[in-house]
Amino acid sequence: MHYIYRVPAVLATERISTKNFLKSLGLSTSRFKSVKHSGTFCVNGASAVAAQTMLKPGDVVSWDLPTPNHSFIAEDLPLDVLFEDEYFLIVNKPPAMLVHPVRQEQTGTVANAVLGYYRRTNGEGGFHPVHRIDRNTSGALLMAKTAEGQHLLSTCATKKKVLREYFAVARQ
């Protein structure tokens, strides 16, 4: 996947390190290391060393990283998509379905269904859940299509900037 960003004037009045700029975009430390070692990092179209480059407002940075390859098996399973755009996917997880494979169960999960959905629709994205729901619980499950989006949303959730509300039905 190819990434291109312009350093906004409001972010840096003089200079900002590449690491700090990429972290402001939501890249985790491990993803920054991937960028740093990719050999594809450029500033204003010229090759640069991500770990040693200081950026200024207006600089255009770009790099290439492969889409993460999950070891999950893509399966053609029913998937109730509630919302989708280029960054996020929200699905209605049915009860009795795991969110992602575990050692004993490698198939029949939301992860398998999402990867199958992308394959059927020629969609792009990986499986990057922002939160999980217990196996026997149904409800909306938010996923980012990139690792960066997952990191950004997870950070917002831990800082209480994402509100989740639950509704329960109990029978006796």
Side-chain angles (χ1 to χ4, degrees), residues 7-171:
V7 178
V10 296
L11 189 61
T13 54
E14 293 178 19
R15 290 184 166 268
I16 184 172
S17 73
T18 299
K19 184 175 185 175
N20 288 341
F21 176 65
L22 296 182
K23 283 191 169 248
S24 78
L25 297 174
L27 266 74
S28 65
T29 300
S30 63
R31 286 296 272 182
F32 171 72
K33 287 178 184 177
S34 297
V35 170
K36 183 171 79 170
H37 298 297
S38 71
T40 63
F41 183 75
C42 293
V43 177
N44 300 322
S47 184
V49 178
Q52 300 172 355
T53 303
M54 296 298 288
L55 303 171
K56 61 185 185 303
D59 281 346
V60 175
V61 297
S62 63
W63 66 91
D64 293 306
L65 285 179
T67 302
N69 185 10
H70 297 290
S71 59
F72 308 145
I73 300 165
E75 292 183 276
D76 289 329
L77 300 171
L79 190 67
D80 183 9
V81 176
L82 301 175
F83 174 82
E84 180 178 15
D85 67 12
E86 62 185 296
Y87 306 106
F88 307 109
L89 178 69
I90 301 174
V91 300
N92 186 22
K93 185 191 100 50
M97 181 182 247
L98 287 172
V99 172
H100 55 78
V102 294
R103 187 179 320 168
Q104 305 88 334
E105 294 181 53
Q106 294 291 308
T107 60
T109 70
V110 175
N112 303 117
V114 166
L115 295 179
Y117 170 76
Y118 289 150
R119 185 178 62 195
R120 281 192 311 277
T121 62
N122 294 317
E124 284 192 26
F127 180 72
H128 304 281
V130 176
H131 62 95
R132 289 180 286 182
I133 300 175
D134 290 340
R135 170 184 282 223
N136 293 324
T137 304
S138 63
L141 182 64
L142 172 63
M143 288 163 277
K145 291 188 173 183
T146 65
E148 293 80 14
Q150 179 188 38
H151 176 73
L152 190 60
L153 281 173
S154 296
T155 301
C156 288
T158 58
K159 292 181 179 178
K160 306 293 185 201
K161 293 182 179 181
V162 174
L163 174 67
R164 283 192 264 173
E165 292 183 337
Y166 297 92
F167 178 76
V169 176
R171 292 186 205 159

